[in-house]
Structure formats: structure tokens, C-alpha cells
């Protein structure tokens, strides 16, 4: 099993750096200053903060964790919340203010300054790294909100920037930026990151692999979008994967030393003392196949341990709250304060490949990478080899299934446990099939994050012009929201 105690100190986040943003919505950079005139700093000083911010507060920030609950990977085991009833799909219009500000005023501004501070040729490593992270933040931002300010954003002379379409503008330019970033990463550079690179210790070849893997993920995200050619996007994803992660040794994890101010953000599931529990959907899905990952993803219910019985029991959102001792916690393998945080995995890349090959060549071509993905994530999580072999052998050939895409996404949903990726895949494919919570504020699971109050107050004309419904209903499919969300063709799903 992966040993969470063995953390290379050269790549470990310092307590001082993390002390000011232990929670998902807390920031490590001061955003109370003018976002258009931040304090200047050398790029080597900026780098640890922007890498940490990308992982800790952008990718694993509050909106991402809301979606984990909407995908029923976790559950809220109480009658009601003090503020947003997120388990019932309620999000106030000021709830996303912090995330919006962090994406724009902090991360994108910092990355823009990094690129302005260096010579693109002489300092190609830093320039390429900043350009890649900037492109990733842009894609993450538009994936959360749909149309967003892009072309006119970050310009202090434009206080109310216009909103841009996701394609061709934001997606098209961000994907091109990733190409440019990888080219820069491969150039000779006067200065190279070292210990200040908290992911790879300055190994630019690993940064390039991460960039290509992220690029592949987003190419495939467009496969079923209106007006898109699924085969072309699938081939683009495969081309990017050809330069991406090649084994579990390439997996990208962010390491936490633990302790006050330096905890994995998923520690919130322990810190909040069974407010958030393992979901009934997760537990039932794993039990259905005697999945050996169950004791890793879910803790035994405490009450049933007293009699020597190991019982795993989840809770469904909107069900009556159950006594804490009878419901399982989210697995401590992921939520311990020093647990490594998954950023990108070879397993996820293999499931991306499987779907791309399904689109291009059918289920026979998808079967091998699908099985490699299962094996990779089980090995990463420390499942016994015999159990891995038995589970993989028990999976029928994709060509024999009525819905091969559903099966690929089901396993990918497990492999990307507690990340935003299951929500992204569900918005694209509709899989896995998840019943909306009854008697919720919305009739369906949200597909975008609500427009923040700050934008409604200061940029309402452009919000309206973008076609986005700023109200609660705007969290559902309407107008241009999450333009790439669509339905896969019937030949992939076994439909008629």
C-alpha cells in the first residue's frame, strides 16, 4: 500500500506556506490588495505559491468539493446546513465569490506576472510552466462557469470585461497555450526550478507529461459538444496522451506533511466529525461487485466494529440522518492530514484512452486500456495483486456489454474519487446514472457553478449579454452554460 508517511522533504509544502490556507476556501496570497497591481516578486519566489494554489484551492477548492457531493461520492448526514443546502443543490449567489476572486485576482494575475517577468527564450522553463498553469486555470474556470471574461480579463483598463464563448475563444486559445507551454518546457533555460517546484523538483519532462495529459482530458471533453467532430477530438486526445503519463510512476501527487496549517484539504471530512460521510451510492456500487477497493475508499461503521463485524454502510443525501456510529466515514487513505493529493494519474489517462479508442475503433480497441486503468488505480491504492487479478478477470469484455461507455465511466468515476472529474464526465456523458436528490431546490443535478454575486453587482450588463441565467436555475443546462455538455452517440452507449 502507498505509504503516506514517506514524503520527500524537498518536495513537501512548508508549514509556513500552508498555514494561511488550511481550508479549501482560504487563500495563501493576499487578495485584499488591488488585483490589478499586485506586489512584484521574483518568479522563483512565486512558483511554490502558484503550484500550491493550483492544486489546493483551484482544483480541490470549494466548487470542486460541492460537485463531489452532487455526484454522491460523499453525503451530508444531517437534516440541514447553516447556510447553503448544498446537498439539495442550493447555492447562494455570494457563495462562489471566493472561488471567482481566487481564480482571477490571485491565480491568473500571478501567472500573468510570472510570464511578464521572464524572458520567454532565456527563462523558457519558468515561462512554459507559468503558461501551462495559466491555460489550465482558464479551462478550469470556464468548465465551472461556462462563458467567462477572457480576452478583456486581467486588463486594469477594463473594469467590466466582456464574456467570451467557451469555443472557439477560451478553449481554443487555452489548448494552443498548452502546446506553446510544452515547447517552452523543452527548450534550454537559463534558470531552472528546483526545490521551489513542489510537484517535480524542477523536472521539466514531468511537467510536459502532465501538460499533455491535462490537454488530452480537455480534448476529449469536447467530443460530444454541439458541432464538434467526436473522432477528431478523440484522435487529438490520443495524440496528446502519446506524450503524457506512461505508468503509475508518473502519477502526479501533491504531498502534505500534516499538522496545523499543512493538512490535505480532504482532511475536512475528518475534521467535521461525520457531518460528511461515505455515500450510499459509493458503498452500494462497490459492494455490487465485491470491489476490493471498498475498505480503502470507505471506513467501517464504528458501531458494527464493536461486535467484531466489519460493516460498510453509506448514507444517501436527503435520507433521514443516521446515528454517526452506524455510518461509514470517507476512507482515511484519502482524508488523513498527510495523505498525498491526486493531481493526475496514469489510471485516469488510460480511461481517457479507452474512451477515445471506443469513439475511433469500437469496444474491442477500448478493452485493453480500460483494464489497464483498473489495474493501475488498484496498484496505486495498494490492493493485493491476487485481488486485482480476480477483479479484472471478472470484468466482461466491453464488446459484450450493452453500454461500453457507461462501463468505462463507471470505473473512471471510482478512480477519480473525491475529485471534480466525475462531475465533468457526468456532464459529458450522463454516466454513471445518478438519481437527483428528491425535494431539492432544483429539479436536477447542477451542471455549472452559480454566477458570483460580485459579478452580478459590478459586471451585470456583460453577464446578461453572455446569455447566462444568473439565478439558481442558471446552475442547470440553459443557454450557453457548459457548452460542451452533451450526449454521446448511440453507437457508444448501446442505444438505438
Amino acid at each position: 500500500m502507498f505509504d503516506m508517511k514517506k514524503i520527500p522533504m524537498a518536495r513537501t509544502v512548508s508549514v509556513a506556506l500552508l498555514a494561511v490556507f488550511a481550508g479549501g476556501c482560504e487563500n495563501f496570497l493576499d487578495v485584499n490588495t488591488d488585483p490589478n497591481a499586485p506586489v512584484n516578486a521574483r518568479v522563483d519566489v512565486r512558483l511554490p505559491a502558484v503550484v500550491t494554489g493550483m492544486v489546493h484551492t483551484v482544483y480541490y477548492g470549494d466548487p470542486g468539493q460541492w460537485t463531489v457531493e452532487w455526484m454522491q461520492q460523499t453525503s451530508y448526514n444531517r437534516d440541514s446546513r447553516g447556510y447553503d443546502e448544498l446537498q439539495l443543490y442550493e447555492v447562494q449567489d455570494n457563495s462562489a465569490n471566493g472561488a471567482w476572486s481566487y481564480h482571477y485576482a490571485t491565480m491568473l494575475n500571478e501567472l500573468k506576472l510570472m510570464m511578464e517577468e521572464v524572458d520567454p527564450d532565456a527563462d523558457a522553463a519558468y515561462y512554459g510552466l507559468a503558461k501551462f498553469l495559466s491555460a489550465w486555470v482558464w479551462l478550469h474556470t470556464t468548465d465551472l462557469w461556462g462563458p467567462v471574461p477572457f480576452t478583456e480579463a486581467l486588463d486594469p483598463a477594463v473594469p467590466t470585461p466582456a464574456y467570451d464563448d467557451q469555443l472557439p475563444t477560451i478553449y481554443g486559445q487555452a489548448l494552443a497555450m498548452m502546446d506553446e507551454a510544452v515547447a517552452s518546457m523543452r527548450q534550454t533555460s537559463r534558470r531552472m526550478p528546483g526545490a521551489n517546484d513542489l510537484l517535480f523538483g524542477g523536472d521539466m519532462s514531468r511537467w510536459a507529461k502532465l501538460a499533455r495529459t491535462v490537454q488530452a482530458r480537455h480534448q476529449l471533453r469536447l467530443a460530444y459538444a454541439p458541432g464538434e467532430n467526436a473522432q477528431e477530438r478523440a484522435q487529438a486526445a490520443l495524440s496528446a496522451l502519446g506524450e503524457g503519463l506512461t505508468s503509475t510512476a508518473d502519477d502526479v501527487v501533491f504531498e502534505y506533511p500534516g499538522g496545523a496549517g499543512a493538512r490535505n484539504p480532504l482532511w475536512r471530512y475528518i475534521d467535521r466529525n461525520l457531518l460528511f460521510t461515505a455515500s450510499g451510492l459509493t458503498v452500494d456500487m462497490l459492494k455490487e461487485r465485491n470491489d476490493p477497493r471498498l475498505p480503502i475508499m470507505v471506513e467501517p461503521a464504528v458501531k458494527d466494529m464493536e461486535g467484531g463485524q466489519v460493516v460498510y454502510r453509506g448514507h444517501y443525501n436527503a435520507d433521514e440522518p443516521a446515528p454517526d456510529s452506524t455510518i461509514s466515514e470517507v476512507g482515511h487513505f484519502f482524508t488523513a492530514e498527510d495523505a498525498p493529493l491526486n493531481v493526475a494519474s496514469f489510471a485516469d489517462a488510460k480511461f481517457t484512452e479507452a474512451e477515445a479508442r471506443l469513439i475511433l475503433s469500437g469496444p474491442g480497441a477500448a478493452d485493453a486500456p480500460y483494464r489497464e486503468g483498473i489495474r493501475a488505480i488498484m496498484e496505486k491504492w495498494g490492493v493485493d495483486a491476487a485481488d486485482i487479478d480476480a477483479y479484472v478477470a471478472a470484468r466482461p469484455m466491453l464488446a459484450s456489454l450493452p453500454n461500453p461507455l457507461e462501463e468505462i465511466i463507471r470505473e473512471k468515476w471510482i478512480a477519480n474519487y473525491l475529485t471534480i472529474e466525475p462531475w465533468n464526465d457526468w456532464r459529458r456523458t450522463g454516466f454513471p446514472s445518478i438519481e437527483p436528490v428528491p425535494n431539492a431546490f432544483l429539479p436536477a443535478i447542477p451542471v455549472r457553478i452559480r454566477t458570483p454575486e460580485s459579478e452580478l453587482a459590478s459586471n451585470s450588463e456583460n453577464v446578461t449579454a453572455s446569455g447566462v441565467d444568473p439565478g439558481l436555475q442558471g446552475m442547470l443546462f440553459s443557454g450557453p452554460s457548459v457548452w460542451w455538455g452533451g450526449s454521446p452517440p448511440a453507437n457508444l452507449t448501446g442505444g438505438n
Side-chain angles (χ1 to χ4, degrees):
M1 183 175 291
F2 191 96
D3 187 347
M4 295 183 294
K5 304 299 182 183
K6 295 179 179 177
I7 300 175
M9 295 308 295
R11 288 165 43 211
T12 298
V13 186
S14 70
V15 173
L17 182 62
L18 285 171
V20 293
F21 71 111
C25 62
E26 297 174 77
N27 300 336
F28 62 85
L29 295 172
D30 184 2
V31 296
N32 293 318
T33 57
D34 180 359
N36 294 317
V39 176
N40 195 33
R42 298 191 316 276
V43 290
D44 53 350
V45 175
R46 293 188 194 279
L47 184 60
V50 297
V51 171
T52 304
M54 180 65 221
V55 176
H56 188 102
T57 314
V58 172
Y59 198 62
Y60 277 91
D62 285 344
Q65 292 309 297
W66 300 344
T67 72
V68 168
E69 195 169 343
W70 295 340
M71 289 294 94
Q72 298 183 29
Q73 290 197 330
T74 62
S75 180
Y76 187 71
N77 187 31
R78 294 293 185 271
D79 282 321
S80 63
R81 274 173 158 98
Y83 191 57
D84 288 344
E85 299 283 2
L86 292 166
Q87 78 281 11
L88 300 177
Y89 313 144
E90 180 195 34
V91 178
Q92 302 293 332
D93 59 10
N94 63 353
S95 296
N97 283 349
W100 181 274
S101 175
Y102 195 84
H103 282 65
Y104 279 97
T106 303
M107 285 296 294
L108 289 168
N109 253 318
E110 287 294 308
L111 290 162
K112 177 175 180 283
L113 284 170
M114 282 184 69
M115 286 187 282
E116 291 173 348
E117 286 175 3
V118 299
D119 183 313
D121 296 319
D123 290 314
Y126 276 103
Y127 185 79
L129 202 157
K131 178 165 271 195
F132 161 60
L133 288 175
S134 182
W136 195 1
V137 176
W138 279 121
L139 290 170
H140 192 81
T141 303
T142 192
D143 286 347
L144 288 177
W145 282 286
V148 294
F150 177 76
T151 305
E152 296 179 350
L154 310 181
D155 185 347
V158 184
T160 56
Y163 278 53
D164 291 285
D165 292 334
Q166 290 183 282
L167 195 82
T169 306
I170 305 173
Y171 251 81
Q173 293 191 39
L175 289 171
M177 286 172 65
M178 288 190 177
D179 285 333
E180 296 162 4
V182 171
S184 292
M185 291 173 185
R186 291 173 174 165
Q187 293 178 22
T188 301
S189 185
R190 174 178 57 189
R191 284 185 293 173
M192 294 292 293
N196 62 334
D197 173 3
L198 300 177
L199 279 180
F200 304 126
D203 186 341
M204 299 310 297
S205 67
R206 295 198 66 191
W207 274 107
K209 287 183 178 182
L210 172 60
R212 288 305 193 203
T213 302
V214 171
Q215 190 177 41
R217 179 189 290 165
H218 286 86
Q219 287 284 4
L220 194 63
R221 195 160 292 167
L222 305 180
Y224 315 128
E228 283 296 307
N229 184 301
Q231 287 74 26
E232 289 180 2
R233 291 298 180 182
Q235 186 57 61
L238 288 179
S239 296
L241 286 174
E243 298 180 355
L245 308 183
T246 58
S247 71
T248 54
D250 284 337
D251 280 10
V252 184
V253 296
F254 195 79
E255 294 158 339
Y256 290 85
R263 295 184 174 103
N264 175 334
L266 300 182
W267 182 73
R268 71 183 75 184
Y269 293 116
I270 295 176
D271 183 45
R272 295 176 186 176
N273 201 21
L274 276 171
L275 285 179
F276 299 96
T277 67
S279 78
L281 179 64
T282 298
V283 173
D284 291 349
M285 184 182 289
L286 295 170
K287 284 182 174 180
E288 179 185 29
R289 294 184 176 178
N290 295 316
D291 196 313
R293 290 168 288 192
L294 177 62
I296 299 170
M297 297 172 67
V298 176
E299 297 294 312
V302 173
K303 178 179 179 181
D304 296 296
M305 287 294 291
E306 294 175 356
Q309 299 295 315
V310 179
V311 175
Y312 300 94
R313 185 181 295 113
H315 175 264
Y316 280 90
N317 272 332
D319 279 1
E320 289 292 322
D324 288 347
S325 63
T326 67
I327 298 295
S328 293
E329 293 182 60
V330 177
H332 293 176
F333 178 83
F334 305 93
T335 62
E337 62 182 45
D338 60 348
L341 203 60
N342 177 51
V343 180
S345 70
F346 179 63
D348 176 72
K350 296 310 290 185
F351 290 124
T352 299
E353 179 189 345
E355 184 179 349
R357 294 199 183 282
L358 177 67
I359 293 170
L360 290 168
S361 305
D367 198 80
Y370 152 77
R371 293 173 192 278
E372 288 179 71
I374 297 172
R375 187 173 294 277
I377 199 62
M378 287 189 170
E379 289 174 352
K380 179 185 176 78
W381 291 354
V383 177
D384 289 341
D387 290 336
I388 297 175
D389 291 342
Y391 184 87
V392 173
R395 306 278 63 77
M397 300 294 289
L398 289 179
S400 71
L401 297 176
N403 195 328
L405 179 59
E406 182 177 24
E407 175 62 22
I408 292 169
I409 298 300
R410 182 193 191 280
E411 288 293 340
K412 192 178 181 186
W413 188 92
I414 295 171
N416 284 320
Y417 190 47
L418 304 179
T419 76
I420 197 172
E421 297 310 324
W423 186 56
N424 290 329
D425 286 328
W426 175 82
R427 289 188 289 171
R428 293 188 309 112
T429 69
F431 300 130
S433 180
I434 300 173
E435 290 295 324
V437 173
N439 302 315
F441 287 88
L442 293 171
I445 299 169
V447 296
R448 69 182 290 270
I449 302 301
R450 192 171 181 180
T451 302
E453 180 187 46
S454 57
E455 276 294 282
L456 299 178
S458 64
N459 200 16
S460 60
E461 185 174 340
N462 284 314
V463 172
T464 302
S466 75
V468 169
D469 180 348
L472 194 61
Q473 287 293 326
M475 296 170 66
L476 302 175
F477 277 115
S478 63
S481 304
V482 287
W483 150 86
W484 48 257
S487 299
N491 66 306
L492 301 183
T493 62
N496 298 316

